[in-house]
Amino acid sequence: MPSPVDIFLWGAFPYIAVAILITGLIWRYRYDKFGWTTRSSELYESRLLRWGSPMFHFGLLIVLLGHILGLFIPDSWTAAAGISETVYSFLAITLGIAAGVLTYAGIALLVWRRRTTGPVFLATTVNDKIMYIFLVAALTAGLATTLINASTLHYNYRIDLSPWVRSLFVFQPEVALMARTPIEYRIHAITGLVLFAIVPFTRLVHAFAAPVHYLFRPYIVYRARDPRNLGTAALRPGWKRSDV
């Protein structure tokens, strides 16, 4: 029988975190559009940023894809595709460790840059520091969970954790499933949910600002080139001075 704490953590808290995420994004978009930015510090320092940012973003993308595949694709689907549980576990652990190390190295480099580069450090707000704490905590918990599972190979998270995640989407959370998962998985889940909840109030909000509108914006016209508007004047390149 799940305890009241389990019911709150695995039956209510996920919805609270998502509600804060959605309402926070709406609030931020309506009242802080100009603050919806990464507050780039590339002008202050670019050498470390050139290495750390791609490592972090590409590693995080692989981590997210791995979570989506592991949590939303049932094991019966991979078995039907001819992928055994042994092969799946090997691929998941290998790619998970590689992506986790890459992401962790990237964020470590970015934190080091922010701490040791004077102008970047001065531009760092308390909000940024809190964001880095929760981001590093979630990455640390995820990488530690993968390493523990790699060393013991004692737990198949697609039996308990994945069905629990899918049950949230049909508003019938299977609390008992998540409550019996190993402690490292529960810690990772809590840090991840907290990170989701604070995203709208940090620079991480830029993840929801894909510049899709750039694909549909009109061309910017700097000078009319219609000969009918030039009278008898000859056409000339725009960079040459006019005698008129």
Side-chain angles (χ1 to χ4, degrees), residues 47-65:
R47 184 176 59 87
L48 293 176
L49 183 65
R50 193 179 300 116
W51 285 95
S53 182
M55 292 169 63
F56 170 72
H57 285 91
F58 282 116
L60 186 61
L61 179 61
I62 299 174
V63 169
L64 292 177
L65 290 176

Side-chain angles (χ1 to χ4, degrees), residues 19-230:
I20 295 175
L21 172 67
I22 295 174
T23 56
L25 289 174
I26 295 173
W27 173 85
R28 187 79 180 266
Y29 183 78
R30 292 193 61 183
Y31 299 104
D32 190 28
K33 288 183 180 180
F34 291 104
W36 194 300
T37 173
T38 60
R39 296 196 303 275
S40 176
S41 57
E42 185 177 1
L43 292 176
Y44 299 137
E45 196 281 335
S46 60
R47 184 176 59 87
L48 293 176
L49 183 65
R50 193 179 300 116
W51 285 95
S53 182
M55 292 169 63
F56 170 72
H57 285 91
F58 282 116
L60 186 61
L61 179 61
I62 299 174
V63 169
L64 292 177
L65 290 176
H67 278 69
I68 292 173
L69 292 175
L71 296 176
F72 295 100
I73 296 183
D75 51 359
S76 59
W77 291 18
T78 54
I83 303 175
S84 66
E85 182 59 33
T86 302
V87 173
Y88 174 86
S89 298
F90 174 79
L91 292 176
I93 291 174
T94 303
L95 294 177
I97 292 177
V101 170
L102 182 64
T103 308
Y104 206 87
I107 192 65
L109 194 59
L110 293 176
V111 171
W112 171 261
R113 168 185 176 270
R114 187 164 292 276
R115 184 62 185 86
T116 58
T117 304
V120 180
F121 180 72
L122 293 176
T124 303
T125 65
V126 175
N127 184 291
D128 293 331
K129 295 176 182 178
I130 295 174
M131 179 270 294
Y132 276 114
I133 290 175
F134 283 102
L135 182 58
V136 171
L139 292 174
T140 301
L143 184 58
T145 299
T146 304
L147 291 174
I148 292 174
N149 197 27
S151 63
T152 59
L153 296 176
H154 71 289
Y155 180 67
N156 179 7
Y157 63 87
R158 295 198 294 173
I159 295 178
D160 297 325
L161 194 151
S162 297
W164 169 75
V165 172
R166 295 194 293 270
S167 72
L168 295 175
F169 285 85
V170 295
F171 301 100
Q172 294 179 349
E174 298 287 346
V175 176
L177 293 179
M178 189 61 189
R180 68 191 186 195
T181 59
I183 183 64
E184 61 268 18
Y185 285 88
R186 283 175 276 163
I187 293 175
H188 181 38
I190 291 173
T191 55
L193 290 172
V194 172
L195 185 61
F196 282 154
I198 69 170
V199 161
F201 314 103
T202 68
R203 66 175 59 202
L204 294 176
V205 73
H206 76 276
F208 295 90
V212 179
H213 63 282
Y214 278 93
L215 300 175
F216 307 100
R217 67 175 183 173
Y219 291 107
I220 300 176
V221 179
Y222 291 96
R223 182 186 297 272
R225 306 302 295 174
D226 190 345
R228 293 173 296 179
N229 298 331
L230 299 177

